[in-house]
Amino acid sequence: MRTQVGIVGAGPAGLMLSHLLRLRGIESIIIERRTRDAIEATIRAGVLEQGTVDLMTETGVGERLKREGFVHQGFEIRFSGRSHRINLYELTGGRTITIYAQHEVLKDLIKARLDAGGQILFGVEVTGVDEVQSDAPKIRFTQDGKAEELVSDFVAGCDGSYGVCRKQIPEDIRREYFRNYPLGWFGILAKAPPSSDELIYTNHERGFVLISTRSPHVQRLYFQCDPNDSVENWSDDRVWEELETRMAGGDFRLKQGEIFQKGIIPLRSFVCEPMQYGKLYLAGDAAHSVPPTGAKGLNLAVADVHVLARAIGSYYSSNATDLLETYSATALRRVWRAQFFSYWMTSMLHRFHDAPEFDHRRQLAELDLVTSSPAAQTVLAQNYVGLPLG
Ligand code: DHB
């Protein structure tokens, strides 16, 4: 098999890249380990930055998003039993975020690729990526028990945190930066009306809570837990009791309902540098991950492939390699900004139970600053809605 760009992974990065390349007249084939059903059913975050929404709209995959997504012009930060609104719209000159679940984005992109005749090989395990320093890199995979090979001009490694692509960058060149947090998020989906018109990020002495939403009938809630805790330890009653305790105060009323999904995610930060080697280009979680606070993961993957599609486009249209050569440096600037922002939100909003009381007092001063200083709020809001894609 041969194509122009071989893409490993049909997550947000791989699918959006394939879609953007097609609009530039460039062929690609995506190879994905999981089945289409599994991808379309996996529950992830649900906040799209303005730039992600704009890109989806401009490239013809924003129709359902426009119909079914919810535009939010602000969000709330809550501490000491009181909520404080961050007016994103006013602080950023009219920018907003949209609530639309990641797997809905994936459904739209998969459909767009298949409708346009694009090839996505689902349920196929990549066994290796070879000769990335040559002009004909190869992706090796097994399909129906048979060893196959996809030869291409470029390989895009969009295969997530545990993928094989990153390992193709030799260890003496690759640098990996990690940070683990002693934190997990317990996430639930519940059949209930929204408790709030906007998202609420809460710092409580028992730990962080995020009140989010999916629709007028389905709510997405998260609360800080031990990353090694287990879902079995949390009955529905215990979940609601914990949420009620952490959200107590003022007029806020939690609307309860049937919980139909529970899961625990660990919080960690990771960056791999460089994001390219020979003809291999990494994008999305294959190169970096952020803790979920602030919901930057999907948006960062989209920003990476926006840069990569333009670089590959300029290679095919004018034989230029300058944008390809600077891909990693260009992408990493935004990646590190998102790392900073996600770390900031995480450290400001969670309780670090082993930390001295000093840290807690300092945290309250920080929360006071970002909820009262217009300058601090502007920094927060601009980073929350996301930098323009450029
Ligand atoms: C959601 C997830 C986030 O990480 C976040 O910061 C906001 C919302 C969500 O899944 O709705």
Side-chain angles (χ1 to χ4, degrees), residues 308-355:
L308 185 55
R310 190 164 50 194
I312 294 175
S314 114
Y315 170 81
Y316 284 113
S317 65
S318 52
N319 224 11
T321 56
D322 52 330
L323 295 181
L324 282 170
E325 282 154 21
T326 55
Y327 166 70
S328 180
T330 305
L332 281 169
R333 182 157 182 245
R334 188 188 190 97
V335 167
W336 279 109
R337 172 72 79 89
Q339 291 290 353
F340 152 71
F341 179 71
S342 306
Y343 171 88
W344 180 28
M345 290 284 278
T346 300
S347 65
M348 180 166 68
L349 290 161
H350 290 74
R351 274 313 163 103
F352 295 83
H353 296 297
D354 293 340

Side-chain angles (χ1 to χ4, degrees), residues 156-319:
C158 306
D159 52 347
S161 311
Y162 305 103
V164 298
C165 289
R166 184 170 70 242
K167 315 244 162 46
Q168 302 307 312
I169 305 180
E171 275 179 28
D172 56 335
I173 292 175
R174 175 165 37 108
R175 294 219 45 192
E176 299 193 341
Y177 303 88
F178 287 100
R179 190 177 217 291
N180 283 320
Y181 304 82
L183 309 170
W185 273 19
F186 196 108
I188 62 163
L189 283 168
K191 288 184 188 152
S195 297
S196 164
D197 291 340
E198 294 181 335
L199 270 53
I200 308 176
Y201 290 80
T202 302
N203 181 324
H204 182 269
E205 63 186 28
R206 292 181 61 85
F208 170 77
V209 176
L210 170 58
I211 306 286
S212 183
T213 184
R214 285 293 177 269
S215 76
H217 315 289
V218 174
Q219 307 315 314
R220 181 75 167 139
L221 308 169
Y222 301 95
F223 60 95
Q224 177 185 340
C225 67
D226 186 319
N228 301 314
D229 206 339
S230 144
V231 165
E232 287 72 51
N233 293 331
W234 289 85
S235 66
D236 294 7
D237 285 349
R238 185 174 172 216
V239 167
W240 288 120
E241 201 178 308
E242 190 63 38
L243 287 166
E244 292 281 7
T245 306
R246 296 188 193 186
M247 292 302 294
D251 306 336
F252 181 82
R253 294 287 170 271
L254 190 63
K255 304 243 173 60
Q256 300 191 9
E258 182 200 333
I259 299 176
F260 62 95
Q261 203 262 349
K262 292 179 184 166
I264 294 179
I265 43 174
L267 270 63
R268 55 195 202 100
S269 302
F270 166 69
V271 180
C272 165
E273 293 189 6
M275 287 170 59
Q276 66 192 86
Y277 178 69
K279 295 296 173 77
L280 171 69
Y281 295 82
L282 303 178
D285 280 6
H288 42 71
S289 42
V290 286
T293 334
K296 289 289 169 222
L298 173 143
N299 296 291
L300 212 45
V302 168
D304 284 351
V305 297
H306 173 70
V307 175
L308 185 55
R310 190 164 50 194
I312 294 175
S314 114
Y315 170 81
Y316 284 113
S317 65
S318 52
N319 224 11

